[in-house]
Amino acid sequence: MGYKHLKFPENSTFLVTGGAGFIGSNLCEAILDMGYKVCCLDDLSTGKQENADIFLDNPNYTFVKGDVKDLETCVKACDGIDYVLHQAAWGSVPRSIEMPLFYCANNITGTLNMLEAARQNKVKKFVYASSSSVYGDEPNLPKIEGREGNLLSPYALTKRCDEEWAKQYTMHYGLDTYGLRYFNVFGRRQDPNGAYAAVIPKFIKQLMNDERPTINGDGKQSRDFTYIENVIEANLKACLAPHEAAGQAFNIAYGGREYLIDIYHTLTEALGKDIEPIFGPDRAGDIKHSNADISKAQKCLSYNPEYSFADGLKKSIVWYCKNK
Ligand code: NAD
């Protein structure tokens, strides 16, 4: 369980793209805490300078402001790197419906550039962020790798394309790639602000400010919310995974199922707030239910998530209360 016991060769160097974002900055922190070197490549388009500044006094950390849409930037950033953890992308299903061309360039070309840069620099492992959205309208639960439906958004399409490109790089160029299909990640440093913010940090912040959060739909939709520590474990274990598991994608979740309305009530109770939500319309491109079968990641990556949803939520609430 967990990742703190994992050992990499001495002087191992990681590149985290999107390292000034929510998941990337948590990856950087975990790698630094384990005593290894990490370079963060981020264009600060949705990430924050402060998520890089917190590590700048650590000699094992370097920050490069750069865009993965630029191949030369990617090739330079991969020089001397052993493991790439590619997180840089734009999230949000509704925003991708508004900006399909940008999503194609940023999320697909950006990933292809990083794959090519990793190949040219002979990195050992290329681990990248995919998404549960690749299951599209497949109705069966739990979601299982190999049983995907029709894609419901440009965002989902970018992640599916990334998986296919990564497979090509494993097949033709021998680059060990591992796609991690994250299911609704939450935890410290996730941005609560803006129209495209994720529900958990957004609700916590609104409730702390005595505002009424809006639930899209009836609140009876369910998700496999996954605490950030489990995602860190998956990334680091993928770096140590065998060659035989390369060229594939894996569900990364806890394997639970939480209803939005229940989360809402847990939050109001934990924060001591008596606030009724506003019920808004359903969001385009959203599915009603999602939860993951994680047995493939357990078997191939030795992934064994340590934090249940309830444990993660408690830790997140404490963090947001301290970091208002
Ligand atoms: P985030 O927005 O907090 O982080 C993404 C980071 O990538 C930001 O710092 C941003 O500035 C950077 N970035 C974006 N485009 C870039 C570019 N062209 N060049 C360089 N940097 C760029 O989002 P996150 O929640 O940390 O997501 C990280 C990854 O995980 C993304 O690939 C996302 O699609 C994927 N993902 C996240 C979730 C989730 O629940 N958070 C679920 C599924 C998949």
Side-chain angles (χ1 to χ4, degrees), residues 70-215:
D70 180 56
L71 177 61
E72 209 185 313
T73 300
C74 298
V75 172
K76 258 193 218 154
C78 282
D79 184 17
I81 296 297
D82 299 299
Y83 307 98
V84 171
L85 305 179
H86 172 53
Q87 313 298 310
W90 271 27
S92 172
V93 162
R95 185 169 50 190
S96 76
I97 297 171
E98 289 162 23
M99 306 171 66
L101 297 185
F102 180 82
Y103 271 74
C104 180
N106 204 57
N107 292 10
I108 303 177
T109 306
T111 298
L112 182 53
N113 285 341
M114 281 305 305
L115 285 163
E116 178 58 25
R119 170 176 92 101
Q120 289 183 20
N121 283 282
K122 299 187 170 54
V123 310
K124 289 182 186 156
K125 302 280 184 186
F126 186 96
V127 180
Y128 63 97
S130 182
S131 160
S132 58
S133 63
V134 300
Y135 288 103
D137 67 358
E138 215 305 307
N140 291 301
L141 293 176
K143 309 286 183 195
I144 187 157
E145 298 90 341
R147 204 172 61 192
E148 293 84 14
N150 297 306
L151 299 170
L152 295 173
S153 69
Y155 171 70
L157 172 65
T158 67
K159 293 296 181 182
R160 176 75 69 77
C161 284
D162 290 349
E163 291 185 356
E164 293 301 324
W165 271 117
K167 217 191 277 180
Q168 295 295 318
Y169 269 72
T170 299
M171 194 189 302
H172 296 296
Y173 312 117
L175 177 66
D176 280 359
T177 65
Y178 305 85
L180 306 182
R181 293 180 176 175
Y182 303 152
F183 282 64
N184 295 77
V185 188
F186 70 99
R188 58 189 174 265
R189 286 202 290 278
Q190 189 169 28
D191 194 346
N193 299 311
Y196 304 110
V199 283
I200 291 181
K202 191 172 176 171
F203 285 2
I204 294 176
K205 179 157 185 216
Q206 289 175 323
L207 289 170
M208 285 195 313
N209 292 341
D210 294 319
E211 292 163 15
R212 282 181 76 191
T214 297
I215 293 181

Side-chain angles (χ1 to χ4, degrees), residues 21-23 42-43 45-47 67-68 87 89 106 130 155 159 185:
F22 158 49
I23 295 174
D42 200 300
D43 69 352
S45 54
T46 61
D67 187 341
V68 296
Q87 313 298 310
N106 204 57
S130 182
Y155 171 70
K159 293 296 181 182
V185 188

